[in-house]
Amino acid sequence: MADEVILLNFCPSVFGMRIRIALAEKGIEYEYREEDLKNKSPLLLKMNPVHKKIPVLIHNGKPVCESLIAVEYIDEVWKEKAPILPSDPYQRAQARFWADYVDKKVYAAARNVWATKGEEQEAAKKEFIEILKVLEGELGDKPYFGGETFGLTDISLIGYYCWFYAYETFGNFSIESECPKLIAWAKRCMEKESVSKSLADPHTVYDFVLGVKKRLGLE
Amino acid sequence: MAEEVKLFRNWSSPFALRIVWALKLKGIEYETILEDLQNKSSLLLQYNPVHKKVPVLLHNGKPILESLVILEYIEETWKQHPLLPEDPFEKATARFWARFNDEKLLPSIRDASTKQGKEQEEAIVQVEENLKYVEEKLKGNVFFGGETIGYLDLAFGWLANLVSVLEEVTGLSLTASGKFPLLSAWMQNFSDAPVIKECWPPRDKLIIKYQAMIEKYTAVAAPK
């Protein structure tokens, strides 16, 4: 029986990118549907009634919500190809811990970088760079967070790379000068087709953020 | 080879309790290292430099952090008494609701207990909405895991322990009103399960702790 896979998404979403990368890594065919977040589709509201958010992975009519949960689901269902989590329980715990760290820390800190001004923004930039440095420290000299192979932690973080241009422009700073190893890691990930085809164009992201700032009166 | 399992926790943390319950359900021998969170040990800070929190599970010298991550590690390492369903969709659903607890339900109950005025009213509305989802999940089941206690019962377990404490301290009625009969029944069944009962933090100590915490929040918020 053919699998029916649908992804409800919004192009600039770093969370949606995670699922796109996982699906691409596994070579899964799926239908992509772009949501208008100001006018959410009945399908989205039905499939994610609790949070009413994208991304939502729908597999044979059943929804899986929350991007990291969906990525693990994809790994478990399509387990023959391109494993996203390692098989050793301790290494799996490490991967999950760092993916959870990305979730707990990066989004909020990054948002403060583009949504604030003056002293508040300087403090936000400092905090954001500190978080990236912790991640850079964890990466060390490994090619990917999990070691030799691209995996869950890489997938949880790489989507933010296409937002860096917006952060740097609105924040007037260079992430590469502070975290060169992290940028090298990001470029390495971008060499993978599953990543380069899943990330949004940085200029599209910039325009989106500009639009949000204008709407919220944050210029 | 002898396994060495240690758990860094404090006497009351609901997150740490999840790990105690999981280890006991699986019959795993372990050593407890009790932490005073006002005076954290250098070992705790060494094993959890990023968050500096309990619980920390140490297995043969290797640390595992974050309670839900630890639960998954325990499940994958010790296969007896499985806590998670095998089916990937059901597993994803359990994980979704555990996150819902940590990211939505728990913060809403914390806000309802510690905020004042309009903010508190809004938080209470949120708690009710959140608890409706939890109630719905219990339809047709004794436990969230089905016939026996599972991962999601451990994730929601803190409710059975702390909701009545918070209700007594704040005077709020979260589940005491009888609005959530399945949830109230589950709280009783969960608390009565032998493995769970033997690890319950003492209620009188919890009352004192949460009374002090809420007084602190109220004092900060109250205009002088």
Side-chain angles (χ1 to χ4, degrees):
Chain A
M1 184 196 76
D3 278 311
E4 189 202 51
V5 182
I6 301 172
L7 176 64
L8 303 181
N9 194 32
F10 178 63
C11 169
S13 161
V14 296
F15 306 104
M17 287 172 213
R18 292 167 174 177
I19 301 182
R20 296 185 68 178
I21 293 169
L23 290 167
E25 281 283 297
K26 302 274 185 181
I28 298 160
E29 302 241 330
Y30 68 99
E31 184 191 334
Y32 179 93
R33 293 198 200 169
E34 182 79 6
E35 286 281 333
D36 173 2
L37 298 186
K38 295 194 277 302
N39 187 19
K40 292 174 181 175
S41 71
L43 184 63
L44 173 57
L45 299 177
K46 179 177 166 209
M47 291 284 138
N48 192 357
V50 176
H51 301 302
K52 304 177 177 52
K53 286 183 173 179
I54 56 89
V56 179
L57 179 76
I58 308 174
H59 182 208
N60 294 333
K62 297 200 286 193
V64 183
C65 307
E66 296 299 300
S67 59
L68 292 180
I69 294 175
V71 169
E72 287 220 32
Y73 174 84
I74 289 167
D75 200 37
E76 285 159 16
V77 172
W78 289 276
K79 49 180 179 278
E80 320 75 33
K81 186 182 171 189
I84 291 170
L85 274 159
S87 51
D88 171 70
Y90 182 71
Q91 286 175 14
R92 289 164 75 87
Q94 292 293 93
R96 285 172 175 145
F97 172 80
W98 285 105
D100 176 73
Y101 177 85
V102 171
D103 259 8
K104 283 189 160 89
K105 298 280 189 181
V106 178
Y107 184 83
R111 191 178 193 279
N112 285 339
V113 168
W114 60 259
T116 59
K117 287 191 289 219
E119 264 184 46
E120 233 189 302
Q121 191 182 47
E122 289 308 305
K125 279 153 64 176
K126 189 162 171 278
E127 196 194 340
F128 179 64
I129 291 292
E130 267 168 31
I131 289 164
L132 292 186
K133 284 198 162 144
V134 169
L135 287 163
E136 203 180 40
E138 172 56 23
L139 178 68
D141 291 317
K142 307 194 293 286
Y144 302 106
F145 278 91
E148 294 301 312
T149 41
F150 181 76
L152 183 73
T153 309
D154 306 281
I155 292 176
S156 71
L157 183 61
I158 190 60
Y160 286 99
Y161 180 59
C162 65
W163 281 66
F164 281 7
Y165 170 68
Y167 303 149
E168 288 174 318
T169 313
F170 289 120
N172 191 30
F173 69 127
S174 156
I175 296 172
E176 186 159 13
S177 66
E178 300 275 358
C179 304
K181 277 189 168 167
L182 201 64
I183 299 298
W185 159 83
K187 289 178 177 167
R188 190 175 305 125
C189 291
M190 287 293 283
E191 284 168 14
K192 295 173 70 66
E193 204 180 331
S194 61
V195 174
S196 61
K197 291 220 157 130
S198 302
L199 262 54
D201 177 271
H203 293 274
T204 308
V205 172
Y206 174 85
D207 288 340
F208 166 70
V209 178
L210 188 61
V212 176
K213 279 169 72 88
K214 281 186 180 157
R215 219 172 50 235
L216 298 177
L218 292 170
E219 299 155 279
Chain B
M1 184 193 77
E3 301 247 49
E4 194 198 53
V5 183
K6 296 186 187 182
L7 177 63
F8 287 79
R9 66 179 183 92
N10 80 336
W11 69 275
S12 65
S13 158
F15 301 102
L17 270 179
R18 291 170 169 173
I19 313 307
V20 171
W21 295 329
L23 291 169
K24 288 209 179 272
L25 283 167
K26 293 208 180 238
I28 300 159
E29 301 253 331
Y30 70 100
E31 184 194 327
T32 297
I33 296 161
L34 269 180
E35 288 281 330
D36 171 3
L37 297 184
Q38 311 305 322
N39 188 17
K40 293 171 184 174
S41 72
S42 53
L43 264 184
L44 175 64
L45 300 176
Q46 178 195 321
Y47 287 126
N48 192 356
V50 174
H51 298 305
K52 306 176 176 48
K53 286 181 177 179
V54 294
V56 174
L57 185 76
L58 207 61
H59 184 206
N60 295 331
K62 297 199 282 195
I64 302 106
L65 316 167
E66 290 301 298
S67 63
L68 295 180
V69 176
I70 299 172
L71 286 182
E72 301 248 10
Y73 176 82
I74 289 172
E75 177 75 346
E76 287 166 6
T77 306
W78 292 281
K79 310 262 192 223
Q80 65 274 28
H81 199 298
L83 299 170
L84 274 164
E86 272 195 41
D87 172 69
F89 181 74
E90 287 178 37
K91 212 186 284 195
T93 306
R95 287 167 174 160
F96 172 88
W97 288 107
R99 264 185 94 122
F100 170 82
N101 175 75
D102 283 9
E103 290 174 11
K104 295 277 177 196
L105 178 60
L106 194 153
S108 68
I109 291 179
R110 186 191 54 223
D111 283 351
S113 306
T114 56
K115 294 211 187 268
Q116 309 275 297
K118 189 155 184 291
E119 273 183 327
Q120 187 182 43
E121 281 168 27
E122 283 167 3
I124 292 170
V125 169
Q126 207 50 60
V127 171
E128 290 225 354
E129 267 177 41
N130 292 338
L131 287 179
K132 276 193 192 134
Y133 286 120
V134 182
E135 179 82 359
E136 185 70 30
K137 285 235 43 86
L138 280 167
K139 288 209 169 122
N141 282 323
V142 178
F143 295 107
F144 292 100
E147 297 294 309
T148 53
I149 289 174
Y151 166 91
L152 199 49
D153 299 277
L154 301 191
F156 282 127
W158 75 280
L159 293 169
N161 188 224
L162 283 181
V163 161
S164 69
V165 168
L166 291 171
E167 283 172 335
E168 187 175 320
V169 169
T170 62
L172 285 175
S173 165
L174 299 170
T175 63
S177 56
K179 263 189 219 172
F180 306 104
L182 295 177
L183 182 57
S184 299
W186 169 82
M187 280 162 51
Q188 194 61 56
N189 288 329
F190 185 79
S191 316
D192 285 344
V195 159
I196 307 299
K197 205 166 30 181
E198 69 194 33
C199 322
W200 233 214
R203 187 186 168 81
D204 48 355
K205 259 184 102 175
L206 286 172
I207 300 271
I208 295 171
K209 170 185 163 158
Y210 283 97
Q211 207 144 42
M213 187 194 290
I214 285 161
E215 267 163 31
K216 200 171 80 182
Y217 273 101
T218 325
V220 165
K224 289 276 173 260

